[in-house]
Amino acid sequence: MTIDTQAAQSQAAQPWRAPRVAPTAFASGRYWSPEWVLSFGSFIALLTVVATDGKSLYVMLGLLGLYLIAFWKEALTAMLPVAPLLALPALAMASTLWSEAPMESFRHGLQFALTVFIALLIARRTPGPAIIGSAFSALLLAGLLSLQFGRWVSVGFQQGTAFAGIFGSKNEMAVIASLLALAAGAAVADPRQPMIMRIGGVGGLMLAALLLRTSQSAGAVVSTILAGGLFVILILITRMRFKWRALAAAAVLLATVPAAFMAEQQARTGEITILRKFGKDPTLTGRTYLWQRAEGYIARRPVLGHGYQAFWRRGSLEAEGLWRFANIRSRAGFNFHNQYIEVLVELGWVGLVTLVTTLAVGLAAFAARLMFQPTPTVAFGAAGFLLLLSRTPLESIVLVQFSVATFVLFLTAALALAPERRLQR
């Protein structure tokens, strides 16, 4: 056995032992690369969409345009291994052909495709530590801006108010807080991060806990605890020898999905008990009624659906009736509160099969990466992917244009499907 072979096997056995990034990494330009700027700028743009009334998106699209002008060949080559993840955006745009509102489906489908494309490009062109660093920096900034400029909103059937920050709703605030907690934990655990980033991660964890508490989302708290625990377990798994690592990674991922769904249901059951004590409606903002109504809409066009985002539009009798039922005067920001029902209404069974296949491929890819190339970035990606996956039975959050949740889901899936690039700068 040659020395090179021995070194390769040693690296494969303990790939988590990545070299620590020097404290001068920021000053030397390693993190202030075009990819880091694109990643940080995209996260900030998506996190401030509501606060800037959508104007921040021009920054993200501008950065994308500049990057493609400078590196278009490299970008197109990098996209090839993750091209299957474009199936859902392609179907959304194709639904223009049969949509009840063709222009709405085309416009929103194009925006959805851009959201996914940028996420995949960042995952493929940005080194893993820089993805964690840029995501954490942007989420931390959004959290601090929420503390300074955020607002409180009334809580549907519960008493009192909840903190929505600079976002559109308290549920969105809760999801962002969950992602901040995960990114902060990843920054602390990754030995390749600069010391300032790892110290900042401790503060990020405390801020995330505060935002989770004030947003009053039991489901988000449960999901965050599960995702955080999973991240710690995955970090420990990356330090095992291969034969034990393979078995442990497969067992953890297979057990986590049903456990997360059950925990979500338990959290909602707790909310129902509290609501009943106050004599309030225990159907969780009318979810059960929405799901019953959705069955009829799905039955009308079961194969291809009504078209991507063609249902929730002004002028639609069905949508207007549901908005009136839920007292949504703005007639915006409402959905069926179940990602699988939502996709059945919009894209039919073809869309549901495509969505489930995408999620299944992501899970399988993470299992393989944890076995053969475990790194803190992979652990972060797997925990983030499962955090969002656990929310899909009760929230429609991962197939929305210019949404942070959609962006993170596809970014983490791309991390699983394609090998991590080494830090070259």
Side-chain angles (χ1 to χ4, degrees), residues 245-290:
R245 189 170 68 229
L247 180 62
V252 168
L253 289 181
L254 288 175
T256 298
V257 176
F261 287 171
M262 291 175 62
E264 280 280 324
Q265 294 293 341
Q266 289 299 318
R268 297 299 180 180
T269 300
E271 287 184 347
I272 291 174
T273 302
I274 294 173
L275 291 174
R276 282 176 173 164
K277 287 182 179 180
F278 285 100
K280 304 296 183 178
D281 185 346
T283 58
L284 303 175
T285 64
R287 279 184 175 90
T288 54
Y289 176 73
L290 287 173

Side-chain angles (χ1 to χ4, degrees), residues 157-176:
F157 296 117
Q158 296 177 359
Q159 293 185 342
T161 59
F163 190 57
I166 60 173
F167 304 100
S169 68
K170 65 117 178 167
N171 288 333
E172 187 177 0
M173 177 75 263
V175 171
I176 299 304

Side-chain angles (χ1 to χ4, degrees), residues 89-217:
L91 180 61
M93 293 191 65
S95 71
T96 302
L97 300 175
W98 63 82
S99 173
E100 294 177 348
M103 292 307 299
E104 292 290 319
S105 293
F106 177 78
R107 180 166 64 91
H108 294 308
L110 179 60
Q111 294 171 348
F112 178 36
L114 282 171
T115 305
V116 174
F117 179 83
I118 297 173
L120 301 185
L121 179 62
I122 289 172
R124 291 291 292 124
R125 292 288 296 162
T126 310
I131 291 176
I132 293 176
S134 61
F136 166 63
S137 300
L139 289 162
L140 179 63
L141 179 58
L144 293 174
L145 289 174
S146 290
L147 286 183
Q148 181 66 31
F149 304 106
R151 61 194 179 92
W152 293 77
V153 297
S154 59
V155 182
F157 296 117
Q158 296 177 359
Q159 293 185 342
T161 59
F163 190 57
I166 60 173
F167 304 100
S169 68
K170 65 117 178 167
N171 288 333
E172 187 177 0
M173 177 75 263
V175 171
I176 299 304
S178 297
L179 292 173
L180 171 60
L182 191 57
V188 172
D190 190 351
R192 300 171 294 180
Q193 295 294 332
M195 186 55 65
I196 187 174
M197 191 70 70
R198 303 184 76 181
I199 294 174
V202 177
L205 287 170
M206 292 188 290
L207 176 59
L210 173 63
L211 295 176
L212 276 171
R213 183 175 181 274
T214 55
S215 63
Q216 297 184 23
S217 174

